[in-house]
């Protein structure tokens, strides 16, 4: 007698049918289930739920079944990530405030067999940076996306903390300590990053009087856009309370310009255009020196993440060409850092 072991798509479809049926109160049929590319730490699946003849276009966000097995070393960055339930509540609070975020619908339960996961409505647009930055259909959108990103970020920072689930508060000093911990676990000399961390520590901005909701990974590649511009902000797992300028600095890290190095605001415009749109939409007045500090910090952060991703591959903990290629980008951030420290951007 042979026993059929469901493939991962079959298991996901089965769990989703149960969860969607429970949410909609009717029998649900799952169609068009497709695993989306990208997302090294979380899985994203696109699917349609057919309920009483109505088609609901949805997205599943879940932890990979093996999450945690290969992340015991150099894991401070990942351990700070939100669980799916908390991420669900953060996105819901942002969406209810009017942020361009997906509408989250329901969380999955243990009996669904898919681990920590939630479902949200599918939003139109793409997240592929090279297409958004170069393809003709997005030419008009490129002219206004820096401003849109500033406006949306002001709305994120205006979310009432009372509507949020409990979140960690992370100030500049906390971030520096976390990165030093990651660097120490690598066990190899990294003089450029050590130099940059010392520079950051000596110049760190004062603690924010009123910490706000910080997205934590606000960059090109983590939002959807179409011919009209930005349609939804994705990947909220890094959300925390802290300095609003952190998000502005991270968006301007050179790695997130994807070749459009003369347009620091995500590859679409100037820092000044981004800051002006942010301020017009209700964001605080941007201090250029503080923004520069967070851009340096973001560059250090990304470079050290590149090293930790490389470690996973080289150690054999998680063989992956994607991780290996990310690891090679660490040297790019070293060059970027030396330029930032020398010229101020």
């Amino acid at each position: 007698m042979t026993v059929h072991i469901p493939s991962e798509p079959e298991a996901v479809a089965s769990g989703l049918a149960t969860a969607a049926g429970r949410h909609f109160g009717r029998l649900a049929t799952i169609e068009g289930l497709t695993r989306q590319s990208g997302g090294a730490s979380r899985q994203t699946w696109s699917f349609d739920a057919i309920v009483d003849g109505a088609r609901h276009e949805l997205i599943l966000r879940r932890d990979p079944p093996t999450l945690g097995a290969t992340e015991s070393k150099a894991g401070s960055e990942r351990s700070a990530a939100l669980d799916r339930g908390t991420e669900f509540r953060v996105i819901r609070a942002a969406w209810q405030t009017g942020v361009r975020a997906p509408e989250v619908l329901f969380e999955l339960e243990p009996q669904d067999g898919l681990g920590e996961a939630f479902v949200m409505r599918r939003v139109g647009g793409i997240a592929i940076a090279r297409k958004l930055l170069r393809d003709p259909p997005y030419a008009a959108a490129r002219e206004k996306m820096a401003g849109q990103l500033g406006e949306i970020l002001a709305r994120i920072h205006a979310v009432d903390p009372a509507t949020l689930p409990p979140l960690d508060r992370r100030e500049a000093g906390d971030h520096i300590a976390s990165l030093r911990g990651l660097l120490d676990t690598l066990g190899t000399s990294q003089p450029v990053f050590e130099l940059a961390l010392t520079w950051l520590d000596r110049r760190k901005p004062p603690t924010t009087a009123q910490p706000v909701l910080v997205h934590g990974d606000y960059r090109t590649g983590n939002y959807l856009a179409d011919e009209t511009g930005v349609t939804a902000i994705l990947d909220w797992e890094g959300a925390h309370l802290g300095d609003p300028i952190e998000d502005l600095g991270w968006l301007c890290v050179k790695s997130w310009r994807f070749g459009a190095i003369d347009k620091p605001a995500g590859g679409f415009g100037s820092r000044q255009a981004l800051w002006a749109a942010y301020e017009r939409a209700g964001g605080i007045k941007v201090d250029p020196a503080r923004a520069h500090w967070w851009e340096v910090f973001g560059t250090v952060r990304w470079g050290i993440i590149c090293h930790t991703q490389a470690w996973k591959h080289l150690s054999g903990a998680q063989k992956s060409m994607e991780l290996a290629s990310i690891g090679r980008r660490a040297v790019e951030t070293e060059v970027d850092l030396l330029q930032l420290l020398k010229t101020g951007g």
Side-chain angles (χ1 to χ4, degrees), residues 67-79 178 181-188 304-318 323:
L67 183 68
T70 63
E71 297 188 345
S72 58
K73 182 178 180 182
S76 297
E77 183 77 20
R78 286 265 59 84
S79 65
S178 177
L182 280 172
L183 201 58
D184 289 345
T185 63
L186 295 175
T188 58
I304 294 176
I305 290 173
C306 289
H307 273 297
T308 60
Q309 299 289 61
W311 175 88
K312 294 178 189 178
H313 172 77
L314 294 172
S315 69
Q318 185 179 345
L323 295 179

Side-chain angles (χ1 to χ4, degrees), residues 28 44 69 93 119 131 170 201 210 266 318:
T44 301
V119 168
K131 288 182 174 291
R170 294 182 223 146
D201 198 29
Q210 293 183 313
Q318 185 179 345

Side-chain angles (χ1 to χ4, degrees), residues 58-295:
L58 306 174
I59 290 289
L60 167 71
R61 183 162 166 82
R62 71 182 291 230
D63 287 342
T66 57
L67 183 68
T70 63
E71 297 188 345
S72 58
K73 182 178 180 182
S76 297
E77 183 77 20
R78 286 265 59 84
S79 65
L82 302 182
D83 60 73
R84 291 322 99 235
T86 305
E87 184 182 13
F88 176 93
R89 288 161 181 76
V90 169
I91 298 174
R92 180 175 62 189
W95 183 82
Q96 290 174 341
T97 305
V99 173
R100 294 187 203 182
E103 180 186 6
V104 291
L105 297 182
F106 58 90
E107 296 178 81
L108 275 70
E109 298 181 0
Q111 62 266 31
D112 300 323
L114 299 180
E116 290 196 359
F118 61 84
V119 168
M120 52 192 174
R121 293 199 188 278
R122 196 157 73 236
V123 179
I126 65 168
I128 303 171
R130 60 179 173 80
K131 288 182 174 291
L132 293 174
L133 288 164
R134 297 174 179 82
D135 286 7
Y138 307 103
R142 285 194 284 272
E143 297 300 315
K144 52 187 175 182
M145 284 177 63
Q148 289 177 332
L149 289 168
E151 293 167 7
I152 295 168
L153 194 54
R155 281 190 173 272
I156 292 174
H157 294 164
V159 173
D160 184 355
T163 67
L164 296 168
L167 297 175
D168 289 342
R169 178 173 178 175
R170 294 182 223 146
E171 297 289 346
D174 303 313
H175 286 298
I176 292 171
S178 177
L179 290 184
R180 284 198 183 280
L182 280 172
L183 201 58
D184 289 345
T185 63
L186 295 175
T188 58
S189 176
Q190 301 293 339
V192 173
F193 294 114
E194 291 287 359
L195 170 67
L197 284 171
T198 299
W199 185 96
L200 288 167
D201 198 29
R202 290 174 176 172
R203 295 164 176 81
K204 58 180 177 288
T207 299
T208 49
Q210 293 183 313
V212 304
L213 172 63
V214 175
H215 180 277
D217 202 2
Y218 196 78
R219 63 174 178 83
T220 299
N222 279 350
Y223 53 79
L224 295 172
D226 60 15
E227 291 84 351
T228 68
V230 180
T231 58
I233 306 301
L234 308 176
D235 294 343
W236 293 74
E237 67 187 67
H240 58 278
L241 300 178
D243 187 337
I245 308 303
E246 178 185 340
D247 280 331
L248 289 167
W250 184 242
L251 176 63
C252 291
V253 168
K254 189 179 288 187
S255 295
W256 312 136
R257 304 174 203 173
F258 295 93
I261 59 174
D262 60 333
K263 297 178 179 179
F268 298 102
S270 67
R271 296 180 184 88
Q272 290 72 24
L274 173 69
W275 299 343
Y278 176 75
E279 292 170 4
R280 284 195 304 269
I284 66 170
K285 178 72 175 177
V286 179
D287 174 5
R290 194 173 187 124
H292 175 68
W293 189 96
W294 281 109
E295 189 174 330

